[in-house]
Amino acid sequence: MKKNTLPSADSVIIYSGGLDSTTLLYEEQRRIALAVTFDYGSNHGIREQECARYHCQRLGIEHLVINLSFMGQYFSSSLTSGADAIPTGSYDAENMRSTVVPFRNGIMLSVACGLAESRGLKRVLMANHGGDHAIYPDCTPHFVETMNAAMQAGTYEGVVLDSPYTHLTKADILRRGAQLGIDYAHTYSCYCGNEIHCGRCATCVERREAFAQTGIEDPTQYDV
């Protein structure tokens, strides 16, 4: 794998291997010097990491997997409690609150910011989107603005948080990715973590709806 060493590569991306962050990886590939995936013990972490490695190797972007297993050990969330703990149905606050990993993005951004400053990079990319706002407090516009200010204040070079999908829907993101020719068969979304997407959990439902809304062919295998 040839690493991305372009002079314009000034960014670290928090990269899960899911649909949203994969789209951002391809959109910003020329500016990305490092992709970092965090292993916090989620049900779907192994599947996501496989996808993340695939796309980083394809694009020649350096990829790190950083262990944050203490989160799975000490934080309460159905995302780290096995497939049976994952709620099914609609993507609403009441149904999905159990999937919140407390301050997950804050912790990941702090590590990514430290990596950026250590490597002389100027920007951290995160692919949160508008559908996250009602459920995940560390995905909201207010959080992004506040964290951006904290990162700039806490680094010598003023590392910036860039989250260009904050006000977009998953369908919006999918349209952008389709224009780039991204192979979404090599992305993973299901919170249960099985080899085939369950098709019942809210993130599977949201993924299916995005493909249906855009008319883009869905390459995903679903259990139901």
Side-chain angles (χ1 to χ4, degrees):
M1 178 186 72
K2 184 179 179 181
K3 293 182 180 179
N4 187 356
T5 56
L6 293 172
S8 57
D10 62 354
S11 305
V12 175
I13 184 173
I14 296 177
Y15 182 39
S16 70
L19 186 152
D20 308 314
S21 61
T22 296
T23 305
L24 188 57
L25 183 84
Y26 277 79
E27 280 204 307
E28 296 285 342
Q29 60 183 282
R30 290 188 172 277
R31 291 191 63 182
I32 295 171
L34 175 66
V36 57
T37 301
F38 293 101
D39 183 357
Y40 57 94
S42 69
N43 304 327
H44 52 301
I46 291 174
R47 305 293 178 195
E48 286 188 325
Q49 288 171 42
E50 291 170 352
C51 294
R53 280 192 293 270
Y54 170 86
H55 289 287
C56 286
Q57 288 175 359
R58 188 171 184 273
L59 295 178
I61 293 173
E62 182 182 358
H63 180 225
L64 292 181
V65 177
I66 294 181
N67 189 316
L68 296 179
S69 58
F70 71 90
M71 294 171 67
Q73 183 177 359
Y74 296 113
F75 294 7
S76 176
S77 172
S78 61
L79 286 194
T80 60
S81 301
D84 291 343
I86 299 297
T88 59
S90 63
Y91 210 88
D92 59 68
E94 187 63 30
N95 191 42
M96 292 298 291
R97 188 162 183 174
S98 75
T99 66
V100 172
V101 180
F103 207 60
R104 176 182 61 178
N105 283 345
I107 293 166
M108 293 178 180
L109 284 168
S110 296
V111 176
C113 181
L115 280 169
E117 183 158 55
S118 295
R119 294 189 175 213
L121 304 174
K122 308 298 184 184
R123 193 171 64 141
V124 174
L125 292 161
M126 181 173 71
N128 60 303
H129 67 86
D132 297 327
H133 297 173
I135 302 152
Y136 304 113
D138 57 357
C139 290
T140 63
H142 177 65
F143 171 81
V144 169
E145 293 167 6
T146 305
M147 197 69 186
N148 180 39
M151 288 166 58
Q152 291 187 58
T155 54
Y156 282 113
E157 299 300 325
V159 174
V160 171
L161 169 58
D162 192 353
S163 53
Y165 298 164
T166 297
H167 298 286
L168 300 184
T169 67
K170 189 173 286 287
D172 293 331
I173 296 167
L174 183 57
R175 290 187 189 96
R176 294 168 80 146
Q179 290 177 347
L180 296 170
I182 296 172
D183 180 5
Y184 285 116
H186 289 280
T187 61
Y188 191 87
S189 300
C190 181
Y191 280 162
C192 293
N194 298 321
E195 184 175 352
I196 296 174
H197 284 66
C198 75
R200 297 179 297 272
C201 72
T203 189
C204 277
V205 172
E206 184 191 42
R207 183 182 175 108
R208 283 177 127 164
E209 288 177 346
F211 277 101
Q213 288 167 13
T214 59
I216 296 167
E217 184 178 355
D218 188 352
T220 316
Q221 283 188 293
Y222 299 100
D223 191 41
V224 293

